[in-house]
Amino acid sequence: MIEITLDGWKVKAQEGSTLLSHIRARNIDLPTLCQHDELSPFGACRLCAVEVKVNGKWELATACNTPVAKGMEVRTDSERAIAGRKLAASLLYYRYPATRAVRDLAENLGVAVAAEAADAKECVLCGLCTRTCREIVGVAALSFEDRGLGRDVDEPRIAFDANACIGCGSCAYVCPTGHVKMEATGDKRIIWDKAFKMATCQVCGRPFAPEDQLKYISARTGVPMSRLKTCMSCR
Ligand code: SF4
Ligand code: FES
């Protein structure tokens, strides 16, 4: 265990843990957009900006991907930290002015937000879907394209690998803006423009999961397909 100073409080911290975990443990309200406890940190939105003393100098850092260090001093409530978060929210709002999730975050952080009825549900490049697909589902059907040398870094997009996707819909559930569309029609689920045939529960007859997802679960767990033909409610 090491000790850090957080808004003047001495806090014991596990080496390797992130600043955000200690900030949350003290019930300090810090906005986040690209962070999820079950996923690797990404540091994309910068909404979680705090001030950290490095080599005797206060600097802005993102709490979600900054590991604690012995003797570290952290300020979440300084003028500069608050201004850093507001600036991050302003930049997001400037880029995605018609996306409700962004507008709500920006407004909460004191950005003047113009009235807008529609919700554009744009992709804000938070990376939650790509990381969920890769790190939790274990499929890696989603990735950022237009990244890397010589690429247009201003316009990265999500690349979808239809052959790898099992139609589980995790990306749609985790997306904070509603950009990932998932539709159900009859015994089909359409996601990222790919249609998946849904398996029908052998007890109640309702479609309950994409067949590709059940095959994936069977292959990963060794549970035979014959035992995956009943929905959760009928088990
Ligand atoms: S599609 Fe949604 S979850 Fe994926 S990067 Fe864009 S905003 Fe984030
Ligand atoms: S939540 Fe920390 S950078 Fe997005």
Side-chain angles (χ1 to χ4, degrees), residues 9-216:
W9 297 89
K10 297 285 179 210
V11 173
K12 294 264 181 254
Q14 191 76 45
E15 232 163 325
S17 56
T18 63
L19 281 181
L20 184 66
S21 59
H22 300 286
I23 290 168
R24 287 204 170 140
R26 292 202 72 81
N27 290 325
I28 298 167
D29 191 21
L30 201 66
T32 55
L33 178 65
C34 67
Q35 188 272 345
H36 190 295
D37 285 347
E38 303 302 321
L39 300 173
S40 59
F42 198 49
C45 72
R46 307 199 69 80
L47 287 170
C48 63
V50 294
E51 261 196 306
V52 175
K53 204 172 196 180
V54 181
N55 299 327
K57 215 172 136 225
W58 287 101
E59 288 179 3
L60 280 181
T62 41
C64 67
N65 62 351
T66 301
V68 293
K70 195 171 168 202
M72 187 181 246
E73 288 178 63
V74 186
R75 297 197 292 223
T76 66
D77 55 357
S78 65
E79 259 182 49
R80 195 168 166 221
I82 293 167
R85 298 196 286 271
K86 187 172 174 183
L87 177 64
S90 305
L91 292 173
L92 269 173
Y93 173 57
Y94 175 76
R95 224 168 153 191
Y96 312 105
T99 291
R100 187 164 302 137
V102 170
R103 297 162 56 76
D104 290 349
L105 272 164
E107 202 163 20
N108 282 341
L109 289 172
V111 178
V113 170
E116 172 76 58
D119 180 6
K121 300 184 191 310
E122 291 159 292
C123 173
V124 296
L125 304 172
C126 67
L128 286 171
C129 59
T130 56
R131 281 174 290 152
T132 298
C133 189
R134 188 177 62 245
E135 296 173 17
I136 294 183
V137 185
V139 164
L142 300 172
S143 57
F144 283 113
E145 58 181 19
D146 297 332
R147 290 214 152 179
L149 282 179
R151 303 289 186 92
D152 180 356
V153 288
D154 281 340
E155 290 300 332
R157 285 182 297 270
I158 306 288
F160 172 64
D161 181 350
N163 292 324
C165 182
I166 57 170
C168 69
S170 303
C171 51
Y173 292 113
V174 82
C175 177
T177 66
H179 181 73
V180 183
K181 284 187 213 69
M182 183 165 74
E183 286 162 23
T185 50
D187 68 345
K188 294 239 172 356
R189 168 182 287 177
I190 298 160
I191 184 158
W192 295 97
D193 294 330
K194 179 178 175 185
F196 290 87
K197 179 149 177 23
M198 300 291 278
T200 306
C201 173
Q202 60 188 3
V203 178
C204 67
R206 280 182 305 187
F208 70 100
E211 285 184 349
D212 285 358
Q213 183 182 357
L214 296 180
K215 283 183 202 149
Y216 178 77

